[in-house]
């Protein structure tokens, strides 16, 4: 399964995900004639993430347009606190600070594009 996020500013989203989570582009980017990103494949710690600018003709709406997100992304990392702090420092919005929950440490934030992220790492 691969998360496929629709955003209102694809170029800025790629920059945010790179700065916050170390995302890297992993293939050829498809740009629309009007400059919107039609598709880009990213990778975060070896895990794929797809992204595009919103395109109403294809039913792709960003959280900003809808007024809310419709799902969450759970990201497993080595250090939830460090990744969470970095994401907030580059523009993420705090939802719930990281804390121990069961066998992992987890914090929740919103990215600048309205997507909800759980940042998790194993305890111990």
């Amino acid at each position: 399964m691969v998360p496929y996020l629709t955003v209102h500013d694809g170029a800025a989203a790629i920059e945010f995900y790179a700065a916050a989570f170390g995302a890297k582009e992993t293939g050829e980017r498809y740009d629309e004639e009007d400059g919107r990103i039609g598709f880009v494949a990213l990778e975060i710690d070896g895990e794929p993430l797809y992204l595009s600018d919103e395109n109403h003709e294809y039913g792709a709406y960003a959280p900003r347009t809808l007024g809310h997100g419709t799902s969450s992304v759970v990201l497993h990392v080595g250090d939830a606190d460090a990744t969470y702090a970095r994401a907030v420092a580059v523009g993420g919005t705090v939802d719930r600070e990281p804390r121990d929950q069961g066998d992992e440490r987890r914090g929740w934030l919103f990215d600048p594009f309205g997507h909800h992220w759980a940042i998790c790492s194993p305890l111990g």
Side-chain angles (χ1 to χ4, degrees):
M1 185 175 312
V2 180
Y4 195 139
L5 302 182
T6 301
V7 297
H8 62 272
D9 185 344
I14 293 168
E15 289 179 22
F16 173 80
Y17 298 138
F21 307 130
K24 295 178 178 25
E25 288 189 45
T26 59
E28 190 172 338
R29 181 190 300 195
Y30 172 76
D31 290 322
E32 300 287 345
E33 289 181 17
D34 63 6
R36 290 178 295 170
I37 293 174
F39 173 84
V40 64
L42 305 174
E43 189 174 277
I44 300 173
D45 286 335
E47 297 296 326
L49 172 70
Y50 297 164
L51 180 140
S52 72
D53 277 305
E54 65 182 342
N55 188 327
H56 300 174
E57 302 87 68
Y58 293 112
Y61 291 85
R64 174 186 269 180
T65 299
L66 296 174
H68 59 81
T70 60
S71 62
S72 298
V73 179
V74 178
L75 180 63
H76 292 274
V77 298
D79 184 340
D81 291 290
T83 301
Y84 188 92
R86 188 171 58 246
V88 170
V90 297
T93 302
V94 172
D95 180 22
R96 287 169 269 171
E97 296 279 346
R99 65 183 178 94
D100 294 351
Q101 296 182 353
D103 61 351
E104 66 182 10
R105 187 151 178 86
R106 183 182 324 133
W108 290 86
L109 60 87
F110 289 95
D111 69 27
F113 311 94
H115 293 287
H116 201 212
W117 292 74
I119 311 301
C120 310
S121 61
L123 289 175

